[in-house]
Amino acid sequence: MAARLTLQEVNLRFGGISVLQDVGFTVEPGQIFGLVGPNGAGKTSLFNCISGHYRPSSGSITIDGEEMLGSNPASLARRGLARTFQHPALQLNSTVLENVLLGAHTRLPGGPLEWSIRAPRTRRTERELRAEALTLLERTGLDWAAGLPADELSHGLHKGIELCRALLSRPQLLLLDEPAAGLPHSEVEQLIQTVRDIRDHDDITVVIVEHHMGLIAALTDRVVVLDHGSKLMEGTAAEAQSDPRVIEAYIGKDAVDDVA
């Protein structure tokens, strides 16, 4: 079931430097929610707070009302959160299928002892996960590459592998960090369709950090615009694109070509 994500007065400081100031918003279950802003606005830092890679200085981050502030990434993964990164971290010498299967670590029953002796329950689950991973690769058009080493594929296809890996964990909340970065137009169109499919058929809440305003406009239900670590506005992508504050802070600088 898709999760509700709520942030309240999230602050992040590194020494005497304030990175995020009183950021708050709610992402409703099943929404595709965009987090946008110019370079240095604090988008990735906020993602790192939500995913447990940074611990905020103060504030509240809840998933379905359960406080997650200070939880580590492993605990959040067990709670149903999955994340992709701007630069995919893959095992390049392993096959595409093996990389996707790494996303299933939270779904294996038992523990290290049961896994090491290859108990019947472990073997059965591994077969089921392998079939599910192949289905995900087929859905994203990557089934042809399942047996290839990851280092033989392009950067854009690496992003597809990482997305499949995240989905194999069966998340309730999926964070996508600049999924369109470096992709040609044709692959951006495919990405838009894939994310729509995820929302419509997998019952997942999706939060996207992205510079590509065309993708944000095509996909999101709502957006939050950050500027210098603070929330500038919240609304639809169309409202953001017409907001004078956003035009000054972001649209008029980095995204003119994307919006045109």
Side-chain angles (χ1 to χ4, degrees), residues 90-102 130 134 137 145-153 161 165:
L90 303 180
Q91 301 293 322
L92 295 179
N93 293 324
S94 298
T95 67
V96 168
L97 178 59
E98 288 168 342
N99 271 280
V100 173
L101 286 169
L102 291 174
R130 180 184 177 88
L134 288 169
L137 288 169
L148 296 178
D151 64 357
E152 293 187 10
L153 276 67
I161 298 167
R165 183 172 64 188

Side-chain angles (χ1 to χ4, degrees), residues 78 101 103-130 132 170:
R78 290 190 291 270
L101 286 169
H105 67 280
T106 60
R107 295 179 55 192
L108 281 174
L113 177 60
E114 191 170 338
W115 303 337
S116 66
I117 64 174
R118 306 275 296 160
R121 182 172 64 158
T122 299
R123 295 198 301 271
R124 182 174 62 254
T125 302
E126 287 176 345
R127 288 194 299 270
E128 293 169 351
L129 290 170
R130 180 184 177 88
E132 192 172 331
R170 290 189 179 175

Side-chain angles (χ1 to χ4, degrees), residues 2 30-32 139 192-206 219 221:
Q31 278 189 333
I32 300 177
R139 283 177 58 188
I192 289 171
Q193 187 56 49
T194 298
V195 176
R196 283 176 178 159
D197 177 70
I198 290 168
R199 192 268 295 275
D200 293 343
H201 299 290
D202 293 54
D203 195 21
I204 297 173
T205 304
V206 182
L219 274 179
D221 300 299

Side-chain angles (χ1 to χ4, degrees), residues 5-108:
L5 172 68
T6 303
L7 280 67
Q8 294 179 313
E9 298 182 345
V10 172
N11 291 276
L12 178 66
R13 298 180 182 86
F14 293 128
I17 300 173
S18 181
V19 180
L20 297 169
Q21 302 91 41
D22 295 325
V23 177
F25 54 83
T26 295
V27 184
E28 296 295 338
Q31 278 189 333
I32 300 177
F33 195 92
L35 190 60
V36 299
N39 288 327
K43 304 181 300 296
T44 296
S45 293
L46 186 57
F47 248 35
N48 285 337
C49 291
I50 297 170
S51 62
H53 292 85
Y54 289 169
R55 183 184 180 94
S57 307
S58 61
S60 172
I61 300 175
T62 65
I63 297 176
D64 289 336
E66 181 180 352
E67 183 62 61
M68 295 286 119
L69 192 75
S71 298
N72 61 39
S75 297
L76 287 163
R78 290 190 291 270
R79 183 60 184 79
L81 184 147
R83 177 189 173 171
T84 68
F85 291 84
Q86 182 179 351
H87 303 289
L90 303 180
Q91 301 293 322
L92 295 179
N93 293 324
S94 298
T95 67
V96 168
L97 178 59
E98 288 168 342
N99 271 280
V100 173
L101 286 169
L102 291 174
H105 67 280
T106 60
R107 295 179 55 192
L108 281 174

Side-chain angles (χ1 to χ4, degrees), residues 245-260:
R245 297 168 298 172
V246 178
I247 293 170
E248 180 180 354
Y250 181 39
I251 303 298
K253 296 178 182 178
D254 298 322
V256 172
D257 291 338
D258 286 338
V259 174

